[in-house]
């Protein structure tokens, strides 16, 4: 678990000139041989009480999922988040507003590109972003070609419901990270030992909750839109 303000270091050559898109055939070959880097975002409403989730209707993961997508060569993870939110939701967000949540790795059994059954393997940098006001929240609209539904969900709904373990893990890490951030702020402001100890216990409790949750994965994916169902193995 990282503190909420943990920074992922990125070093990029200024002369880097990437070719961003490949024909589907070439991209399929690339997916067969490479691990794709992605950035995904836990998008919070202005009150910080609900998380925005989209229900995908395309492979991989045709179910409730993060906002986000693949990184482009030459981008930092934060720049990737900014581009993806602008593309998917029409939001222009300053880089300093993103907070690191966790990192994960995925191996999906299916993908959109042929041969679909070859699947895709991804690494993920996950961030959280809390919207500032209702004006920003009203701009949040998903692409109907990629999503069949979207909802603002309580963290507890995700943690206790039938959701992908990667989404549950990220939400659990986010909650634990928020407690750790409070503990850091308390120490910086000269808080007394009793307050810091209380927050420490809360952090350890939330951290253990993540461990316990990941040991009992019972998620089942059932996409009526794609007539596709599967289970997910989680190695933690």
């Amino acid at each position: 678990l990282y503190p909420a303000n943990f920074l992922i270091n990125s070093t990029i050559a200024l002369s880097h000139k990437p070719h961003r898109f490949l024909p589907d055939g070439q991209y399929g070959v690339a997916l067969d041989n490479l691990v794709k880097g992605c950035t995904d975002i836990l998008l919070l409403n202005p009150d910080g009480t609900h998380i925005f989730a989209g229900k995908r209707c395309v492979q991989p993961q045709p179910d409730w999922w993060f906002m986000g997508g693949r990184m482009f060569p030459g981008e930092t993870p934060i720049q990737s988040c900014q581009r993806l939110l602008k593309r998917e939701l029409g939001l222009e967000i300053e880089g300093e507003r993103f907070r690191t949540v966790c990192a994960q790795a995925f191996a999906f059994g299916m993908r959109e590109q042929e041969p679909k059954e070859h699947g895709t393997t991804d690494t993920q940098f996950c961030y959280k972003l809390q919207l500032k006001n209702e004006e920003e929240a009203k701009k949040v609209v998903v692409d109907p070609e990629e999503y069949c539904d979207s909802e603002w969900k309580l963290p507890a709904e995700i943690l206790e419901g039938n959701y992908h373990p990667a989404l549950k893990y990220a939400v659990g890490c986010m909650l634990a990270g928020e407690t750790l951030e409070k503990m850091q702020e308390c120490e910086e402001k000269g808080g007394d030992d009793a307050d810091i100890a209380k927050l420490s216990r809360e952090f350890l409790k939330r951290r253990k909750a993540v461990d316990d949750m990941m040991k009992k994965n019972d998620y089942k994916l059932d996409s009526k839109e794609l007539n596709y169902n599967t289970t997910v193995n989680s190695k933690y």
Side-chain angles (χ1 to χ4, degrees):
L1 264 179
Y2 299 129
N5 61 352
F6 178 84
L7 298 178
I8 295 174
N9 184 49
S10 302
T11 303
I12 297 173
L14 295 179
S15 60
H16 184 78
K17 294 182 176 63
H19 297 280
R20 300 207 186 279
F21 294 102
L22 294 172
D24 284 348
Q26 293 182 23
Y27 189 48
V29 173
L31 292 177
D32 283 343
N33 292 277
L34 301 173
V35 177
K36 181 168 84 268
C38 296
T39 51
D40 291 320
I41 304 107
L42 293 174
L43 193 66
L44 301 174
N45 67 343
D47 292 332
T49 57
H50 290 68
I51 298 167
F52 186 77
K55 191 173 186 181
R56 291 169 53 82
C57 53
V58 295
Q59 295 285 3
Q61 184 52 19
D63 200 359
W64 296 103
W65 197 242
F66 308 80
M67 294 295 100
R70 74 178 180 94
M71 294 177 64
F72 285 167
E75 287 182 323
T76 66
I78 294 291
Q79 289 170 341
S80 176
C81 288
Q82 290 175 297
R83 173 181 55 79
L84 289 164
L85 284 183
K86 184 175 181 179
R87 184 198 73 184
E88 293 197 11
L89 302 177
L91 293 171
E92 296 196 29
I93 305 296
E94 302 88 350
E96 60 269 16
R97 290 176 58 187
F98 293 93
R99 293 291 181 270
T100 307
V101 173
C102 64
Q104 303 188 68
F106 314 128
F108 294 106
M110 294 287 288
R111 69 190 190 205
E112 279 298 291
Q113 297 76 19
E114 297 290 350
K116 295 188 176 185
E117 67 276 8
H118 281 201
T120 177
T121 53
D122 300 349
T123 57
Q124 177 208 64
F125 299 115
C126 179
Y127 292 83
K128 73 169 184 176
L129 171 72
Q130 183 170 341
L131 299 179
K132 286 183 176 180
N133 49 50
E134 289 302 319
E135 183 179 349
E136 283 190 342
K138 288 177 182 177
K139 294 181 180 179
V140 178
V141 179
V142 295
D143 181 354
E145 296 295 319
E146 188 172 349
Y147 298 93
C148 60
D149 199 1
S150 61
E151 289 182 8
W152 291 97
K153 296 179 178 289
L154 287 167
E157 180 183 353
I158 295 173
L159 294 175
E160 297 168 9
N162 183 47
Y163 294 87
H164 195 290
L167 187 55
K168 290 189 172 190
Y169 178 74
V171 172
C173 287
M174 181 193 75
L175 295 176
E178 288 175 351
T179 303
L180 185 57
E181 190 174 45
K182 291 178 183 176
M183 184 170 62
Q184 291 172 322
E185 291 175 357
C186 182
E187 194 280 330
E188 289 170 359
K189 293 178 179 178
D192 60 37
D193 291 347
D195 290 335
I196 293 175
K198 182 179 179 180
L199 289 167
S200 297
R201 285 192 294 270
E202 182 182 346
F203 168 74
L204 293 173
K205 180 180 178 180
R206 290 188 180 276
R207 187 65 181 86
K208 184 177 184 301
V210 173
D211 293 339
D212 293 342
M213 175 181 62
M214 297 305 293
K215 291 175 183 176
K216 53 181 181 181
N217 168 43
D218 56 358
Y219 171 67
K220 295 180 180 180
L221 190 161
D222 185 10
S223 172
K224 294 180 175 58
E225 292 79 14
L226 299 185
N227 192 27
Y228 173 75
N229 59 79
T230 188
T231 56
V232 173
N233 293 321
S234 177
K235 297 181 180 180
Y236 176 59

